[in-house]
Each structure stands twice: as C-alpha cells, then as structure tokens.
Amino acid sequence: MLCTLTWKTVAHGVPAIYFYNPLTSLADTTRPLIKPDSTNRNTGSVADTGRIPGKDSFLVKNTVDTFSLRISKDSLDAPLKYKAEDSAVVLIKDKKILLYGKTKTEYKDITLTAPQVEVDQQTQIVTAVNRKDSTGAVIETAHFKSGDNEFTSDTIRYNFKSQVGLTKNTYTQQGEFLVIGEEAKKVNENTTFVKGARFTTCLLDDPHFAIKTNKMKVVSQKLAISGPAHLEFEGVPVPIYLPFGFYPLSQGRHSGLLPPRFTDNEQYGVGLEGLGYYKVISNYWDVKMYGNIYSYGGWSMNINPTYRKRYRYNGAFNISLQTTSLNFKGDPDYVKNKSYFVTWSHTADSRSRPGTTFSASVNAGSTKFNQYVPNSNQINFQNQLGSSIAYSKSWAGKPYNLTVTANHNQNNLTRLINLSLPDVGFSVSTLYPFQKKESAGTAKWYEKLGVGYNGNFRNQVSFYDTALKLKHLIDTLQWGAQHSFPISLSLPPILGGAVIVSPSVSYSQVWIAQKFRRTWNPVSKKVDTTINKGIYMDHQAFFSLGLNTAIYGTYQFKKSRIIAIRHVIRPSLNINYKPDLSKNHFYWTQVDTTNYQARFSEYEGALYSGFGEGKTGGLGFSLDNNLEMKWRTKKDTGANAIKKIKLIDGYGFSTGYNFLRDSLKLDLFNIYFRTTLFEKISITANTVLDPYQVDANGRDINKYAWQGKKFTLGRLTYGSISASTNFSSKPKDPKKDAERKKQAEQRLNDPALISDQRQLLDYMQQNPSEFVDFNIPWQLNLSYSLSFSTRLKPDLKSFEKDFNSGLNFNGSFSLTPKWNFSANGSFDFDTKKLQYFQMSINREMHCWQMSINVTPIGLSRSFNFTVSPKSSVLQDLKINRTRFFTSY
C-alpha cells in the first residue's frame, strides 16, 4: 500500500513524525520516523519504503503548517490539504486521519475549520465536531465554506466526492437573512434542505424574532421556500400561520411585486399605498410601477423608469397621475380633482465626452398636484417649482462656448407658469489681439488689452393653467437678446506694488420684442396699459478705472495669552462714466386723481428690461474689513500652542457718488457684517441705508437726512440678519459615525436610487424617527432670521415696510442608551405661533425599532405608532397605526 506524506512548514526544518499506537492512543517518541532538524528545507516527502510500514500508524506534531497525505488507492482528483494546531494522527490501516486543535481541511474551493476533524480517505467522508467546556457549553464550532455558500454547525458530516453533507444546529447567512436549522442536508453545491428552520434578520445565536417552519429548501444566494410558517418573538409563537413561504435571497436587482402599506386618513379614507411591480428590463433599464387607492374614490398611479450606463450617463423618469376625492359625495366639503406630475433627472459623466455636457432636472405638473398629495406637509406647501434642461459645448483649443437650455418655473399659488425655450448663450473668452505669438521679455502694456463677447437669446411664454389656449400663448410670447463686449486692460501696480490699477470698458445691447406704456384715463379715472409688439433696441456703454489696495495693522500684546490682533482694511475706489443712451425710453404719466406724476420705463416687463436712465459720472467706493487674533492656548506647547482665529470674517460698506445726476447724487449705502463666534455660531447681517429725507408719500427728496432738525445718518430701507448654530455631543463610536455618514452620502448619490431620492427625502422628512442616530447622545440645531423690506403700495404713490422673523429648530437627546426623544419645528414671531411642530419618541431594540410620532400643530395634524424591523428586506413587516386630522 502506498503512503505518501508531503508537508510545508512555517519555519525552517521538517516535522517530527513518530510511531503511534491506536490502542493506547500514545505516540512512541523514542522512535521518530523523521527527526526535527534545523536544515533549510521547508518542503519534503516520506514514501513507504520500509520506514513507514503500511500496517503502522504515526503522529505528526504541530510544527507542520500544512500537509497532504494519500493512503488509499481510491483518491480524489485533487489532494486534500490539512493543518492542525495541536497534532494529527494518521491511521494507515483504517485509512483515517484525525486532526486536533484549530484544524483546517482544504479541497479545491472548499475550506473546513473545526476543533476536531476525522477524515476517512476510503469513503472520502469528513466529520467535524464542536468543542465544549466542562459545563457542556459549546465554545468552538465547525465552519464550512464552499464558494459563496458558508455555514457554521455543531456537527458537520460531508462527502467530498459526492458533495452531499449532513449538519446539526446550523447557522448560515444569506444576504441580510440568517437561516438557523436543527438539521440540514446539503444535496449539491447550491441546494440545502433544512429541518426545523428559523428565518430571521437578527444576527444573534438566539435571535429575538424569527419566522419558524418545519421544512425549508434553500438555494444559495437565490431563494428559500418553506412549508407552513409562523412568527415567534423571544421564543413565543404568534398563532397566525401562513400556508407557505417564499423568501428572495438573491443580491442586486430582480423583478417582483411591491407590497402595499395600509393607511387611514380623515379626508381620503382608508387605503393601500405603494402596491405595484418592479421590472428589470436589462442591465441598463428598469421600471417601477406602483399606485395608491383610497376608499373615498381617490387613486394615484406612478410609472418610474430608470436608466444607467457606467461612465456614460444615468437618469430617471417619474410620471404621476392623481385623482383626488376628499370626503364623500354629498358632503359640503367634497372635492374631486385630477392632476399630474412629471419629473426627469439626467446626469452625464464629463469623462465620456470631454467638452460636451448634458443635464436635466425637470419638476413640472398641475399646480394643484402638490396640494393634494396625502400625508405630506412639506409637499403640500411647496409652491415654487422649477426645471432646467441644459446642453453645453466647448471647443478644445478654441475660445468659444455654446450653451442651450430650456427652463421652466411655476407658482402653484398664483397658478402662473413660465416656459423659456430655447435659451441660447454664446460666449468668446477674452482675446488679446495685440499679443505677440512668440514673446520675449516683459510684455508691453497694450499687449494685455483683452476683448470678449457674451450673448444670450431667449424665448418665453407665460400662461395660467386655467387658461391654456393657443391664442393666450401667442399673446404672452416674448423674445429678447442681449449682447455685451467687455474690454479689459491689465496694468502693472503703482506706488511700489501697493495699488492695483484695473481699467475696463464695456458695451451692451439688448433686443426687446415689445413696449409697455401706462396712460391716465380721465373717463375711468384709472391707469390704462398698452403693449406694442415689434423689434426695439437699447444700448449702454460703461467706462471705469479701479484702484485697489490693502492696509494691514497689527497690535502686539505683552504678558498675555493674546499674542496679537490684526486688522485688514481693503479699500476700493472706482472712477466710472456712463452716458445716458436710454433717456428716450422713460416717460412721466399721471397715476391718480390728484395729478400725481410717476416715471416709468417703456421696457418694463420685457425679458431684458433695458438699462437705467441718466448719466453717470462719479466715484464708487467700498471698504472691506476683517479682524483676526493670534493667541496661545494652554492645551499645547511650542509652535503647536499658537492658534489663529477670525474675530470678524468681514464687515464694510459700499456706495457711490454721481456728479452728473441732477439730484440725489449720493447712492444708497450697502452695509454688511458676517462672523462666526466660537466656531459655532454663524451670524450674517446686511442692510441698505438711504441717506435722504422723504416726502409725505415716502419718496426720496433732494435733501440729506442729517440736514433736518435731528441729526441722523438716514433710514434703513432693507435689512436682514440671520444666525445659526448646531451643538452635538461626541459620537459614542467615531468609526460607526463615519461609516453612517459615508453610507448616507452613497445612498443619496447612488445612480440606481436617483428616481427614489425625492421619495426617500420625503419619507425621511415624514418619518424622522426611523433615522434616529443612537450613536449621538444629543444634538441641537437652531436658526433664526429677521428681515424687513420697503415695497411700493398698489396705489403707486407710497411705500410700506414688511417684517418677517422666524426660528427653526430641531434636536434630539437620549433619555437612556435605548430611548431617544427628538423634535423639530418652526416659530413665527410675527404671528407669535408655532407654524409647524413634530416630536417623536424612539426605542432601539437591536433588530427592531419602535417610534411614536406626533404632529399636534398645523393644517394637517397626525399621530403615528410604528414597530418595525431594522432590516430593509423586512421593511413592510411592521405594526403601524397612523391617524391624520385636518384643521380646514
């Protein structure tokens, strides 16, 4: 009988091999077959040449890294490789190998690890068992891996030749599912039959919940089919049985039904939402079709195809049809409405066609669609919608650039829709006509003279969705064009480089399709308007010379942790001139019975409304500042202890003076301020100061504010201030927090989820409790804004101020490591009321989560109680109770 042993060791040398007595289970270490040495051989073999008689047995000590052994004529087509941390006993007569310690058996792509293994080379059956401690508890199990199939068991009995195996108390993970079986029979590489199976997404040895069945067939990474099944929680069965079970296990995309969600709404009635079908058309296309139906007669249908081609483009469509029935027929508040909505998003990879880009973002539909979307406050009050489809082309080595866009915007409140199609832009980058092709030395000043071009052409049509007729579209059709030729010259700095000089010249022209005239009607005693179609032009020329510099001031401190404070001042002076080329396009007209005259432009309301009247010849001045501090912290030493912080990021003002204007020569003052306090609180403020006195109607007169009886710098005609901050504790597990942020970013940027992003964001807004991060013990976000503005009253004679202020807040904190409370809302200081408020309580239950959401304020109030698994594959296996209440 042939007996061949080959080995490979980790260190230099050969293994120690001794005679072994199977009756006494002892090795004769006095008679080594091969003595350990310190030679440089890492591999070797021993043949049956008399030193290892076929009737004997021997023991291989743990110096061996891996070894293979053949003692049977009926061998496999590939060698079995073994590794034993403790030792291996070879029983030549019985044709068996016993492995002890942390063992490893390999055959092709099959790997078996276990604390104890018996290999019968005559039958090619391997038996692996677990290891228990003195109390009988399992402390080490057997692990089997074959390709993508992998499981852990107390006992494994496997035939390498037929690839049939039996296991006891087996655990195997298939995607997000964990399959646990009392007994399992593996009949081929991919198919396993399980007796006493439990199916769960709770990855614990003793799961909190499971779907239990007596019989199950598992096809690895594809599907599992079971007989009668029922749920159990903490080992307690739920007495509701299903006749059979079908569990998809395949990874990636696959076609299938979309399960519905049950809902109950005071206005829409009871209903089912999300019922539909998902179809994979090809590697590049798929489509999702789903709908909602309600007991009061309302329904909606959505068709959502998506497409993608790696490194080329990706996009998605969504077409929604909605029939809304609020309340029941006969009710005084009964409403029935039909509406639609279309979205399209497309993104092209810039690397696929260098120099050419195409993108689309379309959000358009009936102006009443958002108003009747059920159970979504955010969408119900979203009144502004916009769309853009853009194509751009640039030529390599050429200064040209072409852009063609189609734009859309609509106001759902006024029901006004504007379409701009097409909108064409063509530009030529700055050219230097006097620059030499091959220059040497310092360039002449005239060589830096540059000329560019920017042109736009636009068509626009406006209409109300209640009056969509061809005649109305033609009446509102407008077109226009704009051209500009900027001329620049780069001059060397003066005064030793301290002042930068920037001269510029520009000429602009607009083409306008209509004139708009207001005239007083003495009969009706109202202002009449007339529109004259045609081709009209307006021009503007502008000349300027800019001087810019920077002034630095530093104050040093002694014997203080504050080292220095630096103040940077950046003044800018602009000398400009603009001739009055538009004076013929402005006129005076009476606007009331008191013969009050107002001045208007005949190009108001046009796509390109023309230029302002009057000559400009004056100065423009701006002053920008920032304040920085350098200080020494106590937390460090040396250079690392010196820190720089910005006390004020920027503050300043800008104004101008027009010497050629007949009155009101001093321009308005634009004042701004921005800073970040303690690297936490961001503050931004800006305002407009009018330096003139006003008449009884609130209009400026040619008299400065400080020339009155009381000294004042002027009046504020517009202003806003906003402050925002966020505070949060450190995450319990920084690595887990970084991974969560990465996954969230990938989910929102995944091309395969483009079509679901709006639905996902809406779902996150409606169900914030399902996205609570228990890794952050507490967090708080606050933002406050205050603004006011002055606007002309409808009588066109006087002005009034509008004020708006509000506070937005959201935050959460953990009552215990497993309980979390969160809230978000908005408070309007004008009405002194909460405009929106939502709070939730969440319980983390390992593989499940519980949430209670309450929206007690607003037009649509709601209460929601949900208990659901965390796993995405079981997102529809949840207990949900939702009630909606309306206030109108």
Side-chain angles (χ1 to χ4, degrees):
M1 183 182 298
L2 178 65
C3 175
T4 303
L5 171 69
T6 63
W7 69 85
K8 182 179 180 181
T9 61
V10 176
H12 297 309
V14 297
I17 302 176
Y18 305 95
F19 281 107
Y20 179 82
N21 188 341
L23 297 178
T24 62
S25 300
L26 295 173
D28 188 354
T29 57
T30 63
R31 294 193 298 160
L33 296 177
I34 300 178
K35 296 180 179 180
D37 58 24
S38 57
T39 64
N40 290 328
R41 290 186 300 156
N42 280 55
T43 60
S45 64
V46 177
D48 186 9
T49 58
R51 289 182 296 168
I52 306 181
K55 64 180 180 179
D56 290 326
S57 300
F58 58 90
L59 178 141
V60 183
K61 292 298 289 182
N62 60 359
T63 55
V64 176
D65 179 32
T66 61
F67 68 92
S68 62
L69 175 70
R70 290 191 179 187
I71 54 177
S72 173
K73 294 180 180 179
D74 186 18
S75 299
L76 298 170
D77 57 353
L80 283 166
K81 297 180 180 180
Y82 313 102
K83 178 182 179 180
E85 185 181 80
D86 188 3
S87 60
V89 174
V90 182
L91 305 176
I92 297 178
K93 184 177 180 180
D94 296 332
K95 301 177 183 178
K96 292 182 179 180
I97 302 173
L98 306 178
L99 306 176
Y100 298 95
K102 292 185 178 180
T103 71
K104 184 177 183 181
T105 305
E106 296 180 330
Y107 172 68
K108 293 185 177 179
D109 65 339
I110 298 175
T111 301
L112 174 64
T113 58
Q116 184 176 338
V117 173
E118 177 186 300
V119 182
D120 190 330
Q121 286 206 346
Q122 188 172 4
T123 61
Q124 306 304 335
I125 294 176
V126 60
T127 303
V129 296
N130 60 18
R131 185 162 65 93
K132 300 180 180 179
D133 61 14
S134 59
T135 64
V138 176
I139 58 176
E140 190 174 354
T141 58
H143 187 79
F144 181 93
K145 183 178 181 181
S146 176
D148 295 332
N149 192 10
E150 188 173 357
F151 58 84
T152 300
S153 302
D154 286 349
T155 303
I156 299 175
R157 185 175 172 83
Y158 186 76
N159 190 314
F160 281 107
K161 197 166 188 179
S162 64
Q163 295 192 356
V164 175
L166 294 173
T167 65
K168 290 185 179 181
N169 198 16
T170 302
Y171 293 76
T172 179
Q173 188 168 353
Q174 304 282 333
E176 291 189 55
F177 286 109
L178 175 65
V179 182
I180 305 173
E182 295 176 4
E183 295 183 15
K185 182 178 181 179
K186 182 177 175 63
V187 297
N188 58 43
E189 185 179 357
N190 296 315
T191 306
T192 304
F193 291 91
V194 184
K195 178 183 178 182
R198 287 183 292 168
F199 206 67
T200 181
T201 57
C202 182
L203 305 181
L204 294 177
D205 292 343
D206 190 10
H208 294 118
F209 81 101
I211 301 172
K212 190 172 183 179
T213 180
N214 290 331
K215 297 179 182 179
M216 176 176 285
K217 178 182 179 181
V218 179
V219 181
S220 180
Q221 305 301 326
K222 288 188 178 180
L223 59 90
I225 303 172
S226 74
H230 69 277
L231 276 170
E232 67 173 19
F233 293 90
E234 298 287 356
V236 179
V238 177
I240 300 176
Y241 282 78
L242 297 175
F244 63 90
F246 182 87
Y247 315 93
L249 303 177
S250 58
Q251 303 297 305
R253 302 181 303 152
H254 55 276
S255 302
L257 292 172
L258 301 174
R261 301 182 302 274
F262 178 80
T263 187
D264 182 13
N265 188 286
E266 184 180 12
Q267 286 191 308
Y268 296 85
V270 297
L272 295 176
E273 296 180 340
L275 176 64
Y277 188 80
Y278 173 75
K279 174 65 177 176
V280 178
I281 301 174
S282 67
N283 291 333
Y284 307 111
W285 282 86
D286 58 22
V287 62
K288 182 167 65 173
M289 297 166 286
Y290 60 97
N292 309 326
I293 186 169
Y294 304 96
S295 60
Y296 287 169
W299 59 270
S300 65
M301 181 178 67
N302 298 270
I303 302 175
N304 177 207
T306 65
Y307 57 90
R308 69 198 61 81
K309 193 168 185 180
R310 184 171 293 182
Y311 308 122
R312 295 293 300 275
Y313 53 79
N314 59 73
F317 292 94
N318 188 71
I319 303 172
S320 301
L321 303 176
Q322 181 175 258
T323 296
T324 303
S325 291
L326 299 181
N327 304 309
F328 54 88
K329 289 185 178 180
D331 190 289
D333 296 325
Y334 174 75
V335 174
K336 188 164 186 178
N337 176 266
K338 294 182 179 180
S339 57
Y340 68 92
F341 201 83
V342 178
T343 64
W344 176 34
S345 61
H346 178 93
T347 304
D349 193 321
S350 59
R351 296 168 295 183
S352 61
R353 298 184 64 185
T356 302
T357 62
F358 178 76
S359 63
S361 177
V362 176
N363 295 278
S366 303
T367 54
K368 289 290 185 179
F369 183 90
N370 283 357
Q371 180 180 344
Y372 293 120
V373 173
N375 310 335
S376 179
N377 291 334
Q378 287 79 13
I379 295 180
N380 295 154
F381 294 100
Q382 184 179 352
N383 291 320
Q384 296 292 336
L385 296 176
S387 306
S388 176
I389 302 174
Y391 168 85
S392 66
K393 170 70 176 177
S394 60
W395 286 263
K398 302 293 183 180
Y400 316 123
N401 183 72
L402 173 68
T403 302
V404 181
T405 63
N407 301 296
H408 147 270
N409 66 79
Q410 68 182 64
N411 187 312
N412 292 340
L413 193 61
T414 63
R415 309 186 74 172
L416 177 64
I417 300 174
N418 297 313
L419 293 177
S420 178
L421 176 71
D423 193 336
V424 182
F426 182 77
S427 64
V428 180
S429 301
T430 304
L431 301 176
Y432 298 92
F434 302 108
Q435 190 176 61
K436 297 179 182 178
K437 294 183 178 180
E438 296 181 1
S439 60
T442 304
K444 303 295 184 181
W445 66 269
Y446 55 83
E447 294 183 48
K448 298 180 180 180
L449 180 67
V451 181
Y453 169 76
N454 296 291
N456 290 90
F457 175 82
R458 181 184 302 171
N459 272 314
Q460 180 175 295
V461 61
S462 302
F463 60 91
Y464 291 93
D465 66 346
T466 55
L468 183 56
K469 295 182 180 180
L470 180 61
K471 181 179 182 300
H472 295 157
L473 294 180
I474 296 175
D475 288 342
T476 61
L477 176 65
Q478 292 192 66
W479 64 269
Q482 184 176 30
H483 312 273
S484 64
F485 299 87
I487 303 173
S488 62
L489 179 62
S490 178
L491 296 179
I494 60 176
L495 300 178
V499 179
I500 298 175
V501 183
S502 304
S504 68
V505 178
S506 68
Y507 170 77
S508 302
Q509 183 186 78
V510 292
W511 298 353
I512 303 171
Q514 67 179 31
K515 285 185 177 181
F516 187 90
R517 278 274 182 174
R518 301 172 186 265
T519 56
W520 176 255
N521 188 329
V523 177
S524 62
K525 297 182 179 180
K526 292 182 179 180
V527 176
D528 292 338
T529 59
T530 57
I531 297 176
N532 297 317
K533 300 284 186 178
I535 300 177
Y536 307 98
M537 295 184 184
D538 197 8
H539 310 265
Q540 175 179 271
F542 190 80
F543 308 88
S544 69
L545 177 66
L547 303 173
N548 304 275
T549 189
I551 304 171
Y552 299 88
T554 303
Y555 183 81
Q556 303 285 346
F557 289 85
K558 297 180 180 180
K559 298 180 180 181
S560 173
R561 286 198 298 121
I562 301 176
I563 301 174
I565 292 179
R566 187 176 74 163
H567 181 201
V568 182
I569 306 173
R570 294 182 177 87
S572 176
L573 180 64
N574 180 272
I575 304 172
N576 55 78
Y577 172 73
K578 179 182 76 71
D580 188 3
L581 304 179
S582 304
K583 61 182 179 180
N584 295 329
H585 305 306
F586 287 81
Y587 62 95
W588 292 94
T589 189
Q590 182 180 340
V591 295
D592 62 8
T593 55
T594 64
N595 201 28
Y596 183 83
Q597 300 284 319
R599 192 162 178 81
F600 300 95
S601 168
E602 62 183 3
Y603 291 146
E604 64 175 303
L607 287 182
Y608 299 99
S609 57
F611 303 106
E613 67 172 330
K615 291 181 179 180
T616 299
L619 299 175
F621 180 75
S622 66
L623 187 67
D624 180 61
N625 303 259
N626 67 43
L627 207 60
E628 299 175 336
M629 182 176 71
K630 184 186 293 185
W631 68 297
R632 183 180 290 104
T633 178
K634 292 183 178 180
K635 297 180 179 180
D636 217 329
T637 59
N640 296 329
I642 300 176
K643 306 294 182 182
K644 291 182 179 180
I645 60 173
K646 287 187 176 181
L647 299 177
I648 301 178
D649 296 336
Y651 65 97
F653 70 93
S654 63
T655 186
Y657 193 89
N658 187 356
F659 293 98
L660 302 181
R661 193 182 297 157
D662 57 357
S663 61
L664 306 177
K665 295 184 178 182
L666 182 62
D667 293 339
L668 305 179
F669 287 79
N670 294 285
I671 306 170
Y672 62 91
F673 174 89
R674 61 183 185 276
T675 187
T676 302
L677 301 178
F678 317 110
E679 298 182 350
K680 277 291 182 183
I681 305 175
S682 176
I683 301 176
T684 302
N686 61 84
T687 187
V688 176
L689 178 69
D690 189 336
Y692 295 100
Q693 298 182 27
V694 296
D695 60 14
N697 293 322
R699 297 179 181 272
D700 289 347
I701 60 175
N702 192 26
K703 192 174 182 181
Y704 293 118
W706 51 83
Q707 293 178 337
K709 296 180 180 179
K710 295 183 179 180
F711 178 82
T712 177
L713 294 176
R715 58 189 179 88
L716 302 178
T717 59
Y718 168 82
S720 70
I721 182 171
S722 61
S724 62
T725 184
N726 63 84
F727 302 94
S728 66
S729 61
K730 293 182 179 179
K732 298 177 182 177
D733 187 345
K735 293 183 179 179
K736 185 177 179 181
D737 183 63
E739 182 65 23
R740 181 189 65 83
K741 292 179 180 179
K742 182 179 179 181
Q743 290 178 355
E745 183 178 355
Q746 289 176 346
R747 183 167 59 246
L748 291 176
N749 295 327
D750 187 352
L753 297 176
I754 287 180
S755 61
D756 297 325
Q757 285 183 7
R758 174 177 173 173
Q759 187 176 357
L760 176 62
L761 291 173
D762 293 339
Y763 186 81
M764 292 174 67
Q765 292 174 342
Q766 297 173 41
N767 305 274
S769 58
E770 296 188 22
F771 301 89
V772 172
D773 186 7
F774 283 89
N775 192 39
I776 306 293
W778 65 270
Q779 58 181 342
L780 176 65
N781 300 310
L782 299 171
S783 63
Y784 172 78
S785 63
L786 168 67
S787 65
F788 68 91
S789 60
T790 304
R791 63 181 178 87
L792 184 65
K793 290 183 179 180
D795 60 8
L796 305 178
K797 294 192 301 180
S798 59
F799 295 82
E800 63 181 358
K801 284 187 177 180
D802 294 329
F803 286 86
N804 294 284
S805 62
L807 174 70
N808 295 323
F809 59 90
N810 67 80
S812 66
F813 68 92
S814 296
L815 303 172
T816 69
K818 301 294 183 180
W819 285 94
N820 182 276
F821 175 82
S822 60
N824 65 88
S826 175
F827 183 82
D828 190 329
F829 287 95
D830 297 332
T831 61
K832 297 181 175 59
K833 292 182 179 179
L834 278 170
Q835 297 299 306
Y836 175 77
F837 181 74
Q838 184 181 48
M839 58 183 177
S840 63
I841 299 176
N842 307 275
R843 175 70 163 90
E844 201 275 337
M845 300 185 292
H846 186 255
C847 50
W848 284 67
Q849 59 188 2
M850 182 192 75
S851 64
I852 301 174
N853 300 302
V854 180
T855 305
I857 294 174
L859 295 179
S860 179
R861 295 167 286 118
S862 64
F863 169 83
N864 170 267
F865 173 80
T866 303
V867 178
S868 62
K870 288 183 178 179
S871 173
S872 60
V873 297
L874 294 179
Q875 61 182 349
D876 297 300
L877 182 65
K878 61 183 178 181
I879 301 172
N880 180 273
R881 177 59 173 165
T882 303
R883 292 296 302 273
F884 289 90
F885 311 92
T886 54
S887 301
Y888 55 93

